[in-house]
Amino acid sequence: MATVQVASSPLAVQPREAPRELPRELGTGFRRLSAKLCALRPEDSSSSRSEIHLILDQLISENYSEVGGVAAEDVCALLVQACRMVPLDQNHLISKVSQLIHHLLNTLQVIVDEQNLDFLLAYTISAIHHCSSWTHVKILQALAALLYGNGSKCQKYLPDLLGKNGLLVKLSSLAHSDPEVRRAAVHCMANLCLSVPGQPYLEEPYQSICFQAFLTALQSPKSSDMDDITFCMLLQNALKGIQSLLTGGKMKLTQTEELGALLAVLKKSMFHGLPGINIEMPMVLYPTLLPQYDGRPPVRSQQSESSTSRPTMNKKKKLKIKPKKIQQAEEEEEEESSGEREAAPVTGLGRLSLHGGGMPHPSSPRAQSLSLNGSGTARRGHVSSASSSPSWKRASSSDSDYSDAEGGMQSKMRSYQARVRQGALACFLYTIKSIEKKVLYGYWSAFVPDTPELGSPQSVSLMTLTLKDPSPKTRACALQVLSAILEGSKQFLSVAEDTSDHRRAFTPFSVMIASSIRELHRCLLLALVAESDSQTLIQIIKCLANLVSNSPYNRLKLSLLTKVWNQIKPYILHKDVNVRVSSLTLLGAIVSTHAPLPEVQLLLQQPCSSGLSNSNSGTPHLNPPDWWKKAPVGPFLEEASVGSPKGSSEPCWLVRLCISTVVLPREDSFLGVDAGCAAGSYVPCPMRLEALQVLAHLARGYFSVAQAYLMELGEVICRCMGESDPSVQLHGAKLLEELGTGLIQQYKPDSTVAPEQRVPVTTVVLFWTMMLSGPLPRALQNAEDPILQASACDALSSILPEAFSSLPSDWQILCITVLLGLNDSKNRLVKATASRALGVYVVFPCLRQDVIFVADTANAILMSLQDKSLNVRAKAAWSLGNLTDTMIVNMESPDPCFQEEFSDLLLLKMLRSAIEASRDKDKVKSNAVRALGNLLHFLQPSHIEKPRFAEIIEESIQALISTVLIEAGMKVRWNACYAMGNVFKNPALPLGTAPWTSQAYNALTSVVTSCKNFKVRIRSATALSIPGKREHYGTVGQYAQIWNALVTALQKSEDTIDFLEFKYCASLRTQICQALIHLLRLASASDLPCIKETLELNGDMIQSYILQFLKSGAEGDDTGAPHSPQERDQMVKRALEHISSVQALAGDTAKRAIVGFLENILTAYFDTSRS
């Protein structure tokens, strides 16, 4: 153990010759006392001890908080000198020195240098060993102050403190008799665990020792000799220590027992001191789907319950709750109770019922027992709470049962208990961040409420704190934890389902999760109407937004979103701007989750006055749809006829609200006036940005609603992009992109929107003319803001092709010129988006046959393929794939001009670039091989005959073969198989005779029999069925290999260890059957013996699968397989006719066997069809 020598040598610290100038108030105090202490000499006399006592008392009593400027080195020198003056056998002086260390370090926030820290730590550790036990609390307080943030500097003392018989380990154990010493020792350990950025952390063995000490402190019940406040402080320190281990030490809770023990004590501590709640927890909480315990008091007998609840149930009149703040006498409780909940002053939300005991105090702000049904009215008898209005809340100063002093202690006690709950919640939050979500959700039922069984009480959960805790800060902490649990829970919650009534002997897991989701909605809406503290209200709304974003409403019964929608609407007009922003965020989550939902579609059609008019804010109603326009109607709006929703008497209130929030000058807005706003200015604020995001969500998920306001939204976009604030410009560009994408979706061939319901092309042309004549070109050319440039590029790429062709030629030229220019940008983000936009434009029908444009685009894309940025290369590869798709489309047109005019040199350059890109990362490779397949398909006989193409063709095919075989991403291999199929479509290539033929077929047969991904197998089987002539399949041996590989693949079509692949089994069998029939239709006489041999071994299996193929079409994958029964049986008939026409070799019985096999299949098929 480290020791320290004191009071036995000349003073090591001399007074400074030129002490720094101190403030006048402090100079005569601290400097004088410091000098006086330094002037003393160590003497073991009563007079000397008395003088030291006096100096220490004066130093401790100095008011350091009112002045600053005390040098850290002066404080350290003083503390070292004080320690040197006090020998370890003077208990009283040791106590005062410890008090001085604690006081000065905490008050002045001094960072002790390493040399002085080393001395002071050795001194305090020695003092604990030598001094009487009554001094240990003070000494440990001093040690805690020294250890705070200095853990990395205390390495050599760790064995003394945390070793097997370490000081802190012994003093913090349950065996120690003094509870104050235990608390102080745990405090020291917590400070030792604090991390400092850039400094080494505690070694793992010491972390484990501290963790076990903290866990033991949290698990142990309060001893009889420990007062309540000391116990609270002990719990706080232990919780802070665990939090530090999780954050600074990055401690990983990998053991189930360890994690379960921590979660058990955290849940217990989360409810510490909460009135009316007393739960008993097991030592370890194990992951389970059902609650392990119910810590609530036992349910009262039916007789007593019915007798107390009957009068409440019979009441018809509404109970009014007067909003009244509880006055607090103690200043310490002010922070915790300043947000004590009142019934929210929102009318039209239904009846509020209080029950679970006698009539509550009229001024009680608690609303734990409020319960909302679907329409917002109160639901009686669902949540019972005997402690809905605790005695300490109901009592006033006139009827209090305790004195003023007792009231002060009660207030202080409640404050300490609330801090324990907050500490437990903070620790739980960091625990959530340190474990995997799939592990966390094993404990879902322990912390998230579930709908209680009939007659059973509600289990305690995070929502219990949200609804019942008197401290707004604690309620906010509980909501933060719940939000962290819900964040990223979409996959876990996706199993929920309650669309049908389940009447079974057991409750399925899907129904249990659905019940939990319903209960979360109910409780959060209950908390919403009962909350008055703005900060807590924001957390409730954020939590609701997380819940909405992750819940599978398409698998749940209707009305959940309707309840949220109706309850949140009044808060859009809340006096706190942050509440308004959160409310818009929640509305954005509603319109973006699983869009489009029929329930949300109906909500968007609600009248404008619904919900908003019931607010007591005195806010005026929304004006007519064009109320926000200050200038006369523009020419675009005069021409367009989509200013209001078709077939709707009332416009969408949400669109109008968002438009008004974005464009109305703030001083005229009903949403409140921000101080300092200039008249007529558009001051950027979170409300405007959130409103733009909601409009973007609407355009993405409910375009049928947004399209009615297309031209008005166009003007909103022009105003936003014309502002100086970059964030507003970016959100405006994003909204433009979403609107453009929505218009493109309407005109896609597979669109379900009826032609008469689409936005007319003439209107789309007007819309884009407005954009191109507005601030969009300026944003595209704003090199000072590359992020805006990139967003504008994305927006420009979302133009409807039919509208682009109708734009004036100068606008078309502007778009193309700008994109080609931005492709040369030095900014990689801009370059990437410009390359992608060119890939969109090159497939436009009006541009794809323009050889000059296609060539310019190809050169620009090839240049981007050489960029150092992976993102730029990935976008360029995608665009190259699109460009080659365009070349194939042009090749199939009757006019051969495009092929004739396209440059051979450019074609060679594209092939070389694609080969090089096929060796790049997967993001680039997947589209590079797609482009290679298209380019090889595009080659004409005139190209193939030229010697300079021979080598590049061989190299291209080898690149495809290697990509098919490598262990790359499945998307890469799928595209490689697709590309190989495109190669086989080119009749000019020497397929069947070229040396690479066998390599290509070997690669595809390897994939079709052994690839783990069934979609890749399907694509390889498709490629094998593409060659149209027998000679393309090569030799008899090559044909036999392909045939046998397909039969093997058919046998193994259900062999997979990945459950997700099973849904592609039917598609794989369908495609293999089609390939086998295709091979039969091309077979030569030399191929028949091999086919016969296979049929003898596996004929029954092949017949059964071909019969399945004839009876049903492809499922789950669009491979080009015929879907109608007539097409399928015609394939078999043609194969039968071909085999019958083959001139068999003398004495060969293979032909007869194969013909009989096919005839049996057709006979069985027609027999089953007739039956």
Side-chain angles (χ1 to χ4, degrees):
M1 184 191 70
T3 58
V4 59
Q5 298 295 325
V6 294
S8 59
S9 62
L11 293 178
V13 181
Q14 299 295 332
R16 299 180 183 274
E17 294 181 3
R20 60 180 290 168
E21 191 67 27
L22 297 177
R24 183 176 300 275
E25 305 93 11
L26 192 61
T28 56
F30 179 85
R31 188 170 56 190
R32 176 177 54 80
L33 293 170
S34 179
K36 191 173 181 182
L37 185 64
C38 291
L40 292 177
R41 291 292 180 268
E43 294 181 14
D44 189 14
S45 62
S46 58
S47 60
S48 176
R49 289 195 295 272
S50 299
E51 192 170 0
I52 295 173
H53 269 293
L54 181 61
I55 295 173
L56 292 178
D57 286 338
Q58 290 175 326
L59 283 168
I60 293 170
S61 63
E62 281 285 323
N63 188 359
Y64 299 100
S65 60
E66 293 183 358
V67 292
V70 180
E73 56 267 26
D74 292 339
V75 175
C76 293
L78 173 69
L79 294 178
V80 169
Q81 176 63 16
C83 292
R84 290 186 182 278
M85 293 300 301
V86 177
L88 297 176
D89 58 351
Q90 297 294 321
N91 289 326
H92 288 88
L93 283 176
I94 289 286
S95 177
K96 286 192 177 178
V97 168
S98 300
Q99 192 176 349
L100 179 65
I101 293 172
H102 176 260
H103 181 64
L104 288 181
L105 294 184
N106 282 344
T107 305
L108 300 177
Q109 299 294 304
V110 171
I111 299 175
V112 183
D113 62 273
E114 198 159 351
Q115 181 179 355
N116 288 323
L117 177 67
D118 187 65
F119 176 86
L120 293 171
L121 283 174
Y123 182 85
T124 49
I125 293 171
S126 299
I128 294 176
H129 285 288
H130 289 86
C131 295
S132 301
S133 59
W134 66 266
T135 65
H136 286 179
V137 173
K138 295 291 185 184
I139 300 172
L140 286 170
Q141 287 177 347
L143 181 60
L146 290 167
L147 292 174
Y148 186 86
N150 289 319
S152 60
K153 303 174 185 177
C154 307
Q155 296 297 321
K156 72 176 185 179
Y157 295 103
L158 291 179
D160 294 338
L161 296 173
L162 300 176
K164 186 176 181 181
N165 295 312
L167 187 65
L168 296 180
V169 174
K170 288 193 296 185
L171 295 179
S172 64
S173 69
L174 296 177
H176 201 279
S177 58
D178 191 339
E180 280 286 352
V181 172
R182 275 186 60 210
R183 180 205 63 76
V186 171
H187 186 201
C188 289
M189 295 175 82
N191 283 3
L192 191 58
C193 292
L194 278 173
S195 64
V196 178
Q199 298 294 328
Y201 198 69
L202 276 180
E203 295 176 2
E204 197 281 329
Y206 294 125
Q207 290 186 40
S208 298
I209 291 170
C210 291
F211 179 78
Q212 288 302 323
F214 298 144
L215 202 59
T216 303
L218 292 169
Q219 289 172 335
S220 306
K222 184 174 79 71
S223 58
S224 57
D225 58 343
M226 182 182 289
D227 63 87
D228 289 334
I229 290 181
T230 301
F231 185 55
C232 286
M233 293 172 70
L234 172 66
L235 297 179
Q236 284 182 59
N237 292 327
L239 291 166
K240 286 179 182 177
I242 292 178
Q243 184 176 330
S244 296
L245 288 172
L246 292 172
T247 54
K250 307 297 181 186
M251 186 176 179
K252 298 299 179 185
L253 301 166
T254 55
Q255 300 297 322
T256 303
E257 294 282 335
E258 192 177 54
L259 176 60
L262 176 59
L263 292 178
V265 296
L266 288 180
K267 181 164 184 178
K268 182 179 180 181
S269 302
M270 277 167 19
F271 297 97
H272 180 76
L274 187 65
I277 302 293
N278 183 24
I279 64 172
E280 294 297 329
M281 292 294 299
M283 290 295 288
V284 178
L285 196 62
Y286 291 100
T288 177
L289 298 177
L290 297 173
Q292 272 185 289
Y293 56 86
D294 193 347
R296 295 293 297 275
V299 183
R300 292 174 294 177
S301 65
Q302 290 186 350
Q303 181 178 356
S304 62
E305 187 176 348
S306 60
S307 64
T308 56
S309 61
R310 191 177 295 114
T312 306
M313 293 294 288
N314 292 335
K315 289 184 181 292
K316 297 293 183 183
K317 65 178 182 178
K318 298 180 182 179
L319 297 176
K320 297 181 180 179
I321 302 178
K322 300 179 182 179
K324 179 180 178 182
K325 297 279 185 180
I326 302 296
Q327 299 297 323
Q328 299 294 336
E330 289 295 320
E331 204 173 291
E332 184 175 2
E333 185 66 6
E334 238 173 59
E335 179 191 350
E336 297 296 330
S337 300
S338 61
E340 293 294 359
R341 197 175 310 174
E342 305 168 3
V346 179
T347 59
L349 295 179
R351 184 183 299 116
L352 308 178
S353 65
L354 294 169
H355 52 83
M359 187 66 70
H361 192 273
S363 63
S364 172
R366 309 306 307 145
Q368 304 97 307
S369 53
L370 300 179
S371 183
L372 297 175
N373 62 15
S375 60
T377 57
R379 182 165 57 185
R380 301 175 186 272
H382 191 72
V383 178
S384 64
S385 174
S387 58
S388 62
S389 188
S391 59
W392 60 266
K393 289 290 290 179
R394 294 197 298 268
S396 64
S397 58
S398 59
D399 60 3
S400 174
D401 292 332
Y402 47 81
S403 65
D404 290 343
E406 290 171 332
M409 281 302 297
Q410 289 287 333
S411 177
K412 185 177 181 181
M413 186 66 244
R414 290 197 299 271
S415 177
Y416 273 94
Q417 289 171 339
R419 290 176 194 170
V420 171
R421 298 195 294 273
Q422 291 159 22
L425 290 166
C427 193
F428 189 17
L429 187 62
Y430 284 103
T431 304
I432 292 170
K433 294 178 180 179
S434 67
I435 60 177
E436 294 183 23
K437 287 286 185 179
K438 63 181 180 181
V439 176
L440 171 67
Y441 294 140
Y443 301 91
W444 174 272
S445 59
F447 298 97
V448 180
D450 190 11
T451 305
E453 297 292 334
L454 189 63
S456 301
Q458 179 80 59
S459 59
V460 290
S461 66
L462 288 166
M463 285 310 309
T464 309
L465 290 171
T466 304
L467 291 169
K468 296 189 175 184
D469 201 291
S471 163
K473 189 174 180 181
T474 309
R475 298 196 296 270
C477 288
L479 289 160
Q480 282 182 310
V481 171
L482 184 57
S483 283
I485 293 174
L486 290 172
E487 190 174 349
S489 63
K490 182 173 287 187
Q491 185 176 358
F492 172 71
L493 297 181
S494 64
V495 301
E497 185 174 14
D498 69 346
T499 51
S500 59
D501 292 329
H502 297 272
R503 300 181 182 276
R504 304 179 188 176
F506 66 95
T507 303
F509 178 69
S510 59
V511 176
M512 186 188 309
I513 297 299
S515 171
S516 186
I517 292 173
R518 281 199 311 272
E519 186 66 8
L520 278 172
H521 279 78
R522 190 189 70 83
C523 292
L524 285 171
L525 290 177
L526 182 61
L528 183 70
V529 298
E531 188 59 68
S532 63
D533 179 72
S534 292
Q535 294 304 313
T536 309
L537 196 58
I538 291 167
Q539 293 301 327
I540 294 173
I541 298 172
K542 285 182 178 179
C543 198
L544 272 170
N546 254 333
L547 177 61
V548 167
S549 297
N550 291 285
S551 296
Y553 294 101
N554 53 336
R555 296 167 59 90
L556 303 174
K557 290 180 181 177
L558 298 179
S559 80
L560 285 179
L561 283 175
T562 302
K563 297 173 188 176
V564 178
W565 183 276
N566 291 333
Q567 296 298 338
I568 200 59
K569 284 171 76 172
Y571 292 92
I572 298 169
L573 310 177
H574 196 275
K575 62 183 180 180
D576 189 316
V577 67
N578 293 315
V579 174
R580 299 202 300 271
V581 171
S582 301
S583 302
L584 271 180
T585 304
L586 176 54
L587 287 171
I590 292 174
V591 297
S592 62
T593 184
H594 295 281
L597 290 172
E599 184 179 0
V600 177
Q601 193 84 41
L602 291 173
L603 291 171
L604 290 169
Q605 296 169 4
Q606 283 184 349
C608 290
S609 56
S610 175
L612 291 173
S613 61
N614 292 332
S615 174
N616 66 344
S617 63
T619 300
H621 295 294
L622 296 172
N623 295 313
D626 60 347
W627 60 273
W628 53 272
K629 302 180 192 299
K630 300 298 182 182
V633 175
F636 299 111
L637 286 179
E638 289 176 353
E639 296 181 44
S641 60
V642 290
S644 60
K646 297 177 182 178
S648 174
S649 58
E650 291 242 22
C652 176
W653 71 271
L654 183 57
V655 175
R656 287 178 48 204
L657 172 74
C658 292
I659 290 176
S660 69
T661 305
V662 172
V663 302
L664 188 69
R666 291 289 295 161
E667 67 169 6
D668 297 333
S669 173
F670 65 81
L671 295 173
V673 182
D674 290 340
C677 289
S681 63
Y682 296 90
V683 180
C685 70
M687 272 294 284
R688 299 181 66 206
L689 301 181
E690 203 62 49
L692 283 168
Q693 286 193 30
V694 173
L695 289 172
H697 290 319
L698 276 169
R700 186 187 305 121
Y702 301 89
F703 187 77
S704 59
V705 175
Q707 74 178 66
Y709 301 87
L710 184 63
M711 300 308 293
E712 288 159 292
L713 290 173
E715 289 204 358
V716 170
I717 292 166
C718 287
R719 293 194 185 200
C720 290
M721 295 189 70
E723 292 190 26
S724 58
D725 185 78
S727 57
V728 176
Q729 291 176 318
L730 282 171
H731 281 75
K734 182 63 178 174
L735 176 57
L736 175 57
E737 183 189 352
E738 294 294 350
L739 288 171
T741 303
L743 290 167
I744 291 172
Q745 295 295 328
Q746 279 195 341
Y747 279 86
K748 278 192 171 181
D750 58 350
S751 173
T752 58
V753 181
E756 64 274 8
Q757 293 179 340
R758 298 173 182 173
V759 178
V761 173
T762 54
T763 303
V764 183
V765 172
L766 283 173
F767 174 79
W768 279 105
T769 303
M770 183 199 303
M771 296 298 104
L772 293 170
S773 59
L776 181 59
R778 188 166 64 250
L780 286 164
Q781 298 171 30
N782 184 4
E784 296 179 358
D785 191 346
I787 297 177
L788 178 61
Q789 269 187 309
S791 295
C793 269
D794 285 333
L796 195 62
S797 69
S798 67
I799 188 169
L800 182 70
E802 292 85 344
F804 184 85
S805 61
S806 300
L807 285 173
S809 59
D810 54 341
W811 291 127
Q812 293 184 19
I813 293 170
L814 171 68
C815 294
I816 294 168
T817 305
V818 167
L819 291 178
L820 286 171
L822 290 177
N823 193 71
D824 292 329
S825 172
K826 293 180 180 179
N827 185 278
R828 289 171 178 173
L829 179 61
V830 176
K831 193 170 186 175
T833 52
S835 293
R836 181 191 170 278
L838 287 171
V840 173
Y841 274 50
V842 80
V843 298
F844 283 4
C846 63
L847 293 176
R848 67 186 176 206
Q849 290 189 341
D850 185 339
V851 178
I852 296 176
F853 169 71
V854 173
D856 288 343
T857 302
N859 283 310
I861 291 170
L862 294 180
M863 183 182 67
S864 295
L865 268 177
Q866 307 302 317
D867 197 89
K868 294 180 180 179
S869 167
L870 175 61
N871 187 38
V872 173
R873 298 199 306 275
K875 300 293 185 187
W878 179 83
S879 294
L880 182 63
N882 279 13
L883 188 146
T884 55
D885 286 343
T886 290
M887 293 169 66
I888 299 301
V889 172
N890 290 339
M891 185 180 71
E892 294 169 354
S893 66
D895 186 1
C897 293
F898 184 87
Q899 296 97 298
E900 294 171 358
E901 295 177 14
F902 199 82
S903 166
D904 287 1
L905 289 175
L906 181 57
L907 192 57
L908 281 167
K909 189 177 177 182
M910 292 170 69
L911 281 165
R912 289 193 184 98
S913 294
I915 292 169
E916 188 65 30
S918 70
R919 304 186 184 107
D920 206 330
K921 303 289 186 183
D922 280 5
K923 286 184 177 180
V924 181
K925 188 181 296 183
S926 60
N927 284 299
V929 293
R930 174 166 72 103
L932 264 181
N934 284 334
L935 289 169
L936 291 170
H937 183 192
F938 179 80
L939 291 176
Q940 304 301 306
S942 58
H943 297 127
I944 297 171
E945 291 168 359
K946 295 176 182 178
R948 59 182 174 177
F949 274 92
E951 184 180 348
I952 199 74
I953 291 172
E954 175 74 22
E955 195 176 346
S956 299
I957 292 175
Q958 291 300 331
L960 288 179
I961 292 170
S962 64
T963 309
V964 168
L965 292 173
I966 61 171
E967 289 297 326
M970 294 308 165
K971 182 179 179 182
V972 174
R973 300 184 73 182
W974 188 96
N975 275 337
C977 293
Y978 177 83
M980 195 66 78
N982 275 338
V983 174
F984 293 167
K985 291 178 183 178
N986 190 342
L989 290 171
L991 180 62
T993 58
W996 48 261
T997 300
S998 60
Q999 294 175 287
Y1001 284 132
N1002 289 342
L1004 291 172
T1005 53
S1006 171
V1007 168
V1008 81
T1009 55
S1010 61
C1011 184
K1012 295 178 182 178
N1013 186 281
F1014 275 25
K1015 294 181 80 173
V1016 178
R1017 288 198 204 183
I1018 292 167
R1019 183 48 63 187
S1020 63
T1022 306
L1024 288 170
S1025 64
I1026 286 175
K1029 296 180 180 180
R1030 170 60 187 86
E1031 54 265 30
H1032 290 163
Y1033 283 102
T1035 64
V1036 174
Q1038 186 71 65
Y1039 180 97
Q1041 180 197 355
I1042 297 170
W1043 173 268
N1044 290 328
L1046 288 170
V1047 171
T1048 304
L1050 196 60
Q1051 285 179 306
K1052 298 167 64 177
S1053 59
E1054 291 185 358
D1055 296 349
T1056 177
I1057 57 174
D1058 188 349
F1059 178 76
L1060 297 176
E1061 297 298 327
F1062 276 109
K1063 61 182 177 181
Y1064 301 112
C1065 287
S1067 299
L1068 176 59
R1069 287 193 294 270
T1070 297
Q1071 195 56 50
I1072 294 173
C1073 287
Q1074 183 181 340
L1076 288 171
I1077 296 168
H1078 176 74
L1079 284 171
L1080 283 172
R1081 195 169 60 84
L1082 299 178
S1084 66
S1086 304
D1087 301 321
L1088 300 184
C1090 166
I1091 298 173
K1092 177 193 173 187
E1093 182 182 347
T1094 309
L1095 294 179
E1096 287 174 351
L1097 293 173
N1098 301 293
D1100 292 341
M1101 181 270 296
I1102 297 172
Q1103 180 175 341
S1104 66
Y1105 282 132
I1106 291 180
L1107 279 172
Q1108 287 182 23
F1109 164 69
L1110 291 172
K1111 295 174 186 177
S1112 60
E1115 302 171 14
D1117 189 79
D1118 182 16
T1119 59
H1123 292 277
S1124 70
Q1126 293 78 13
E1127 288 177 312
R1128 293 193 294 274
D1129 65 52
Q1130 283 300 318
M1131 287 179 63
V1132 179
K1133 287 179 180 178
R1134 285 195 294 270
L1136 176 59
E1137 292 170 2
H1138 172 76
I1139 297 295
S1140 300
S1141 66
V1142 171
Q1143 295 295 325
L1145 301 175
D1148 188 0
T1149 60
K1151 174 181 174 180
R1152 188 182 311 147
I1154 298 169
V1155 168
F1157 173 77
L1158 293 174
E1159 286 176 345
N1160 289 340
I1161 289 175
L1162 287 173
T1163 302
Y1165 171 64
F1166 288 124
D1167 286 346
T1168 54
S1169 297
R1170 282 192 293 269
S1171 61

